[in-house]
Amino acid sequence: PNHAHTYDNQDNYAVVPQIFYTYTPTNMLIPVSFGLGVYAPYGGKSSWPQDTGFRSVAIGGSLTYLTINPVVAVKLPFNISIGGGVMVNYANMDWDQGLTSHQLPSTNFFYFTGNGWSVGYNLGLLWQPQEKVSIGASFRSSATVTLDGHTSVERLPNISETQQSGQADFKFPFTVVCGISYRPTPKWNIEFDADYTDWSSFGSNTIHTATPPPAFPSDAYLKLYWQPSWMYEFGVTRYFDSGWQASVGFVYNENSVPDKYYNPTVADMDRYFLSAGTGYKGRHFNFDIAYQFGYGPTHTVTGNQPATIPPVSTGQTPNGKYDFISHAVLVSVGWRF
């Protein structure tokens, strides 16, 4: 008989710091601004129990992706500003899965960890056709990073833990963002933007082990075949004479992972986010604080054809029902010199 079981992702907390700095000289012939950002455009972490029923597909994984982004912007006639910069990206990835459907009686796993650097670029455009309306667009290029690290394999009693150098290439996607801001009065700002991310860059990837154990493949294939997706964001801010402001926002984020290649390491689905916050802007100091609630309606995965690393014949699939709830607190602090 079939029995339904419920499992929870065991990584419940994450902290994502970021910092930005801008400088606008006053002695330039044309208005020019310089900036530097250090931020995390991507990232995630997951860890599942050993008895989920998809252990040989995924146990867990993590991605840390940081971008160092110096930029320069120029203000042109007709209320147009353009900018661009270089992105220096650092990525660190872990991937963990079982080789059999059970952890016991014999320990078994395949694990990869690696890190590397890549370089890309970004461009931006801002146009204010009239005092109350601002229209903006930005482009962030794709960037391929070679992750150098090691693989670890153990499958007792035949294979004791064996660690060898490993390597994998991942092409992180390009993104395009377009948005509009409408200020009917100085006290109100209504904003909408649409973000497109070409996640199809995550196709078929190979994790290569330099010297694998006997009878173990040197190339482990990770078939992701993600699909492009959109994110739509809407927000309203009310400004008060005292320097305080209040904001509310809504985000809809499309699923990027097709059922056929679904992997619980990145259990993606359509998600909705609601946020509310307040802030204060003084002469030199400003801050904002907001709460965000995230919800993903139940997503039923069927017809999955798992591409395991390495290929195994356990009969396990991640078919099932997945849902998502998150709580986030966002804090921003600024100082103008």
Side-chain angles (χ1 to χ4, degrees):
N2 294 325
H3 300 281
H5 299 278
T6 300
Y7 302 95
D8 293 320
N9 191 313
Q10 296 177 339
D11 283 302
N12 296 318
Y13 300 96
V15 178
V16 187
Q18 52 190 7
I19 185 170
F20 299 92
Y21 174 79
T22 61
Y23 171 66
T24 303
T26 57
N27 58 349
M28 305 293 287
L29 294 178
I30 58 175
V32 177
S33 294
F34 301 91
L36 175 66
V38 182
Y39 55 93
Y42 313 112
K45 188 176 183 181
S46 64
S47 177
W48 294 96
Q50 297 281 346
D51 59 347
T52 56
F54 52 72
R55 180 180 183 273
S56 61
V57 179
I59 296 174
S62 66
L63 169 66
T64 299
Y65 194 99
L66 299 175
T67 295
I68 303 170
N69 190 190
V71 296
V72 59
V74 180
K75 188 173 182 179
L76 303 175
F78 308 107
N79 294 322
I80 295 175
S81 297
I82 59 173
V86 176
M87 301 185 305
V88 180
N89 310 300
Y90 170 79
N92 185 300
M93 180 182 291
D94 297 332
W95 187 278
D96 187 14
Q97 75 175 89
L99 300 180
T100 70
S101 57
H102 300 285
Q103 182 183 22
L104 299 174
S106 299
T107 303
N108 61 92
F109 62 83
F110 175 87
Y111 175 77
F112 168 75
T113 181
N115 61 80
W117 295 83
S118 66
V119 177
Y121 66 92
N122 63 335
L123 303 171
L125 170 69
L126 177 64
W127 178 42
Q128 190 174 9
Q130 57 167 285
E131 182 181 359
K132 297 180 179 180
V133 177
S134 297
I135 300 172
S138 66
F139 173 82
R140 185 170 62 224
S141 74
S142 61
T144 299
V145 57
T146 297
L147 301 173
D148 290 307
H150 70 266
T151 62
S152 295
V153 180
E154 183 170 343
R155 187 173 184 177
L156 298 177
N158 299 321
I159 302 175
S160 299
E161 183 173 356
T162 302
Q163 181 172 304
Q164 292 288 340
S165 60
Q167 187 180 87
D169 292 337
F170 282 85
K171 184 180 180 181
F172 285 85
F174 75 81
T175 63
V176 179
V177 182
C178 297
I180 184 170
S181 166
Y182 174 58
R183 297 175 180 262
T185 75
K187 296 183 180 297
W188 289 93
N189 185 17
I190 303 170
E191 299 173 283
F192 172 80
D193 67 46
D195 301 24
Y196 175 85
T197 303
D198 184 27
W199 284 114
S200 64
S201 64
F202 275 23
S204 179
N205 300 85
T206 302
I207 298 176
H208 179 76
T209 300
T211 309
F216 202 86
S218 59
D219 290 330
Y221 298 101
L222 174 59
K223 296 181 180 179
L224 299 174
Y225 294 111
W226 289 8
Q227 56 200 14
S229 63
W230 287 88
M231 183 185 303
Y232 303 99
E233 302 164 299
F234 176 79
V236 178
T237 301
R238 172 68 161 89
Y239 302 94
F240 301 97
D241 294 336
S242 59
W244 287 87
Q245 63 191 48
S247 302
V248 294
F250 170 78
V251 177
Y252 167 59
N253 190 179
E254 284 184 332
N255 173 40
S256 302
V257 182
D259 284 2
K260 184 177 181 179
Y261 300 102
Y262 206 80
N263 193 297
T265 303
V266 186
D268 199 18
M269 65 197 72
D270 291 344
R271 307 182 193 219
Y272 303 86
F273 297 90
L274 293 170
S275 59
T278 186
Y280 175 79
K281 184 176 181 180
R283 182 177 179 182
H284 295 287
F285 173 77
N286 65 276
F287 80 93
D288 293 274
I289 184 169
Y291 165 76
Q292 183 185 75
F293 172 75
Y295 171 68
T298 299
H299 176 66
T300 302
V301 175
T302 59
N304 184 267
Q305 299 178 9
T308 55
I309 313 175
V312 290
S313 300
T314 63
Q316 292 187 319
T317 73
N319 289 334
K321 296 182 178 181
Y322 297 81
D323 54 40
F324 168 82
I325 289 179
S326 70
H327 305 275
V329 176
L330 302 93
V331 179
S332 174
V333 177
W335 183 265
R336 288 183 299 280
F337 298 95

